[in-house]
Amino acid sequence: MKSCKIWAGAILVTLAIGACDTKTNEKTEQTPDSAVIEQPAPADLNSDQSALLETILGTSEAPGETVLRGVSFGDPVNKVKAAETFEMFEEAPDHLGYTQETAQLETIDVQYFFGTDKKVNKITVDVYLNSPGATKQLWKAGHHYFSENYGAPKEESKKTIWNNKSVRVNMEDVSEGKDYGLKFQFFPTNKNVLAAN
């Protein structure tokens, strides 16, 4: 009888330890799953967004005189073609479209729009990104750059607007679902800007 009690006690202890172990394993198994969901995208998924902004803005021999990528409002079609280094993907009577893909497969599309005089009167840039984190970083880099160069912005929920004496810049978060990105639009603030070139 004494051996039955010892045997029954051993079984109860074993079951209790097994039950505790199972609960511990369930908790251990749940923790990595939730951590994986919360981890940010790998660094190699996204470009350095400050460097990406520099690529978007481009370089110019006369940085104070150009709006974007060496192009100013009022520039003729042939000057845009000479200045732009991205690959042309579209040529229409009222606009030219250029594209560039990063090593991380992010895409920058730039379109130059022309008036009836065949001179630049609007520029748009669509940037297609890989993650919400990249979108936030590019937004932050753009906000810093344009605020420093164009002054205090007007803030809206997913759009920010800067105005200086010659250019208005709109920056908009156009992310939707699993498609992430920003849209930049550049407009002249007055007709004298268009007539200058």
Side-chain angles (χ1 to χ4, degrees), residues 152-163:
K154 176 184 173 191
E155 307 270 352
E156 296 176 12
S157 65
K158 293 184 94 177
K159 187 176 188 176
T160 302
I161 302 165
W162 291 268
N163 280 299

Side-chain angles (χ1 to χ4, degrees), residues 10-191:
I11 289 176
L12 286 174
V13 169
T14 304
L15 287 174
I17 291 171
C20 289
D21 185 43
T22 302
K23 288 180 182 175
T24 304
N25 285 342
E26 287 174 7
K27 288 179 184 174
T28 305
E29 290 172 5
Q30 289 174 356
T31 303
D33 288 345
S34 62
V36 169
I37 292 170
E38 296 173 358
Q39 287 180 348
D44 59 352
L45 176 68
N46 303 312
S47 296
D48 174 323
Q49 299 306 306
S50 293
L52 185 63
L53 181 63
E54 288 179 22
T55 301
I56 293 165
L57 298 172
T59 56
S60 171
E61 293 175 17
E65 298 173 18
T66 64
V67 176
L68 183 80
R69 309 187 51 71
V71 176
S72 297
F73 294 122
D75 283 350
V77 173
N78 61 347
K79 185 171 179 188
V80 174
K81 288 181 176 181
E84 186 53 70
T85 59
F86 288 176
E87 179 184 342
M88 184 186 290
F89 72 87
E90 188 170 41
E91 183 171 12
D94 67 335
H95 71 277
L96 295 174
Y98 293 86
T99 191
Q100 176 74 23
E101 194 170 273
T102 70
Q104 287 75 22
L105 303 179
E106 298 161 318
T107 305
I108 305 164
D109 288 345
V110 182
Q111 291 186 303
Y112 300 94
F113 292 87
F114 305 101
T116 54
D117 60 355
K118 299 294 181 199
K119 293 188 177 183
V120 176
N121 65 2
K122 176 179 147 184
I123 304 170
T124 64
V125 181
D126 294 299
V127 186
Y128 304 96
L129 300 163
N130 295 327
S131 71
T135 305
K136 287 178 188 174
Q137 289 171 13
L138 182 57
W139 180 276
K140 191 175 181 179
H143 195 282
H144 175 75
Y145 174 84
F146 291 114
S147 294
E148 196 172 88
N149 291 283
Y150 290 76
K154 176 184 173 191
E155 307 270 352
E156 296 176 12
S157 65
K158 293 184 94 177
K159 187 176 188 176
T160 302
I161 302 165
W162 291 268
N163 280 299
N164 74 6
K165 61 183 179 180
S166 58
V167 180
R168 183 180 93 214
V169 179
N170 296 350
M171 180 175 70
E172 184 176 1
D173 183 343
V174 292
S175 301
E176 192 173 305
K178 292 186 178 185
D179 295 324
Y180 310 107
L182 297 182
K183 180 179 205 72
F184 299 90
Q185 295 176 303
F186 300 83
F187 304 94
T189 54
N190 62 56
K191 293 181 180 179

